[in-house]
Amino acid sequence: MLREEGYTQPVDIELEFFINGKKTTEEERIISVFTSNDNEKLTAVEVATILKRLANMGYNDEEIARKIGKSVWYVQDHLIISNSDTEIQEAISSGNISATSVVKAKKKGLSQDEIKETIKKAKTSGKSVKNKDIDKAVARKKARDLFANPVQFDEIEKVIDAWAGWAFDGKKGDLTELKKEIKSLYKQ
């Protein structure tokens, strides 16, 4: 195959494969990776990859949950991770954002680009993404969505005040900062 691709010199190749002397199905091999991995805990991205393989085999969330002995929510959350692009999965693996923060962001309606932008902002300041960063990104998204409709800034400000209970830790500075950012967007 490499020669067909034009390679003429020797190439180092790393292959991963599963040697199995028993007659097991692909499904059984996948589940065994999940259930018996020599006591090493799988990362969220590894679990997501395994569960996606089962989903690609035609199993629904409930069937997968039953097979691995976990809840349907566990399966659904990990499938959200598996459907995230590679950059987000790498950020999870490197600790720049937690898997739960990615799931929260997706459930709150952030796009992959918005999640990547949140990760980028946190990395720029030398931090990892926290839940409050996700909440701020969601608040910004909702504010941007409001701008798509003709709305006065004082109406947006009322919405920000209403969101303050869940989007921020009660720090007035965060809320004031968000209002300034939104006001500057509004003027554009």
Side-chain angles (χ1 to χ4, degrees):
M1 287 182 353
L2 288 172
R3 277 190 219 110
E4 289 172 10
E5 292 293 320
Y7 289 93
T8 57
Q9 300 297 319
V11 177
D12 288 335
I13 301 173
E14 185 175 314
L15 299 173
E16 292 183 28
F17 53 92
F18 186 79
I19 300 174
N20 183 9
K22 303 174 189 171
K23 295 197 185 246
T24 57
T25 66
E26 177 71 6
E27 171 197 345
E28 291 169 330
R29 284 192 293 275
I30 293 169
I31 292 172
S32 74
V33 169
F34 186 84
T35 57
S36 61
N37 58 350
D38 298 330
N39 295 325
E40 288 184 35
K41 187 173 184 197
L42 296 172
T43 68
V45 174
E46 291 170 335
V47 170
T49 302
I50 291 169
L51 298 185
K52 185 167 187 158
R53 287 180 72 185
L54 289 171
N56 289 341
M57 293 175 76
Y59 295 103
N60 65 36
D61 300 351
E62 291 83 14
E63 292 168 326
I64 294 171
R66 216 174 315 116
K67 287 181 180 299
I68 64 170
K70 298 286 185 179
S71 71
V72 173
W73 296 281
Y74 178 88
V75 171
Q76 291 170 342
D77 288 354
H78 282 84
L79 289 176
I80 288 172
I81 295 165
S82 74
N83 291 322
S84 297
D85 75 16
T86 308
E87 190 177 330
I88 294 172
Q89 290 181 9
E90 287 172 359
I92 293 170
S93 296
S94 65
N96 289 320
I97 188 169
S98 70
T100 55
S101 290
V102 170
V103 169
K104 178 180 182 177
K106 293 297 279 178
K107 285 182 177 180
K108 292 206 177 250
L110 292 183
S111 70
Q112 296 207 55
D113 288 338
E114 290 165 325
I115 295 169
K116 288 191 278 189
E117 183 61 32
T118 303
I119 294 167
K120 186 178 175 183
K121 281 182 181 180
K123 280 174 82 173
T124 301
S125 63
K127 299 177 182 177
S128 62
V129 176
K130 305 290 184 225
N131 277 336
K132 75 175 191 168
D133 299 319
I134 296 298
D135 291 336
K136 285 180 182 180
V138 170
R140 284 186 191 96
K141 177 183 177 47
K142 288 189 178 193
R144 278 193 307 274
D145 291 347
L146 285 174
F147 291 131
N149 301 316
V151 176
Q152 298 300 315
F153 179 75
D154 20 328
E155 290 300 316
I156 295 170
E157 200 166 22
K158 287 178 192 172
V159 173
I160 294 168
D161 288 333
W163 291 338
W166 62 263
F168 300 99
D169 302 331
K171 296 177 185 169
K172 190 144 178 91
D174 283 345
L175 195 55
T176 304
E177 177 187 323
L178 180 63
K179 285 180 185 180
K180 283 180 188 174
E181 284 183 46
I182 291 173
K183 200 169 211 172
S184 71
L185 287 173
Y186 187 72
K187 288 179 181 178
Q188 295 173 359

